[in-house]
Amino acid sequence: KATVSVLYWWGDTMHSVMSRMRPGQKIALLTMVLVIAVYWVVLVGKGSAGVEVKTTINEEKVEEKGKVVEAVVMTDLPTAEMIMKLDGVEEKIIIEIDRSGAPITAANFIALIRKHFYNGCVFYRAEPGFVLQGGGRDMDGQHRKPPYSPIKLEANLPNDRGTISMARTNDPNSASTEFFINIKNNGNLNAQQGSQRPTGYAVFGKVVSGMDAIDRAVLKPTAPGGGIHMLITPIEIVRVKMLNK
């Protein structure tokens, strides 16, 4: 009803104005109104006229002064390919990155891939029936310096089997480069309702191909170290690249 009232008001106003104008002025005014109408329909109304609008991440805005500052949720899932060397054979792991529950975390991972940060890193922690962890150390065990500042915890998706999640310290907002792959449904790693401080671990994607190689990798020989099980021979992450956006 409000829209109809506005249209009536607009029509009366235009009639009153045009009745006092010369023919040339009327043509100029009608041309201007037509241009504005076309602009509104084509550009402004596009998103509400049943046309699917897809957004993509702006790579120039992902990095700014060493920080991940912006991520835009996409309507489709970007996909990464990880090559892992296991028993001398290069195994392909395909990861779908899901920004729906952790947009900043996903943007951080994509930015690290585009910087080739993970090339030559290793999986160094193997917990059978729990997780396979890596992404922040070299073959000699040295920690790689993160190129970005730690990111805010976004623990919104479940840590189910095959999902990839960010590792962190006891500080919930300390995740930077290391990640782990869940070997089983790890509900204890999900955010706990009612907690007074942020809890859980941020899932930002899942393995859609190559999980059999992950299952074999997590069973490799380990030795105790720092309260976790360290792989005696770390498993090399040869390279990681984006397959699409």
Side-chain angles (χ1 to χ4, degrees), residues 68-218:
V68 175
V69 295
E70 180 173 333
V72 181
V73 176
M74 296 173 61
T75 55
D76 55 337
L77 295 179
T79 305
E81 176 188 86
M82 176 185 297
I83 302 299
M84 173 182 73
K85 186 172 287 187
L86 184 63
D87 296 327
V89 178
E90 291 191 352
E91 302 281 358
K92 183 185 297 185
I93 314 298
I94 303 298
I95 300 168
E96 280 188 351
I97 301 171
D98 186 354
R99 294 174 174 163
S100 64
I104 299 299
T105 307
N108 177 72
F109 188 67
I110 292 172
L112 289 168
I113 290 174
R114 296 203 185 284
K115 271 188 171 295
H116 310 294
F117 176 85
Y118 290 118
N119 295 0
C121 282
V122 297
F123 286 108
Y124 66 90
R125 179 188 181 188
E127 308 286 352
F130 186 39
V131 300
L132 181 69
Q133 180 173 330
R137 304 187 187 190
D138 294 321
M139 283 295 292
D140 59 4
Q142 294 296 314
H143 290 267
R144 288 193 178 183
K145 183 179 179 181
Y148 309 129
S149 300
I151 53 180
K152 182 179 179 180
L153 178 63
E154 298 175 301
N156 299 311
L157 300 175
N159 281 269
D160 291 341
R161 170 173 164 77
T163 55
I164 182 170
S165 187
M166 291 302 291
R168 61 174 177 79
T169 66
N170 288 331
D171 179 354
N173 300 317
S174 61
S176 57
T177 66
E178 287 202 13
F179 59 86
F180 60 85
I181 297 172
N182 286 290
I183 304 302
K184 68 176 184 64
N185 294 348
N186 291 314
N188 59 311
L189 300 182
N190 297 338
Q192 303 301 312
Q193 299 296 326
S195 176
Q196 294 184 350
R197 65 191 302 269
T199 60
Y201 292 79
V203 170
F204 59 92
K206 65 179 179 180
V207 174
V208 296
S209 178
M211 195 61 195
D212 57 329
I214 298 297
D215 287 334
R216 285 184 277 121
V218 80

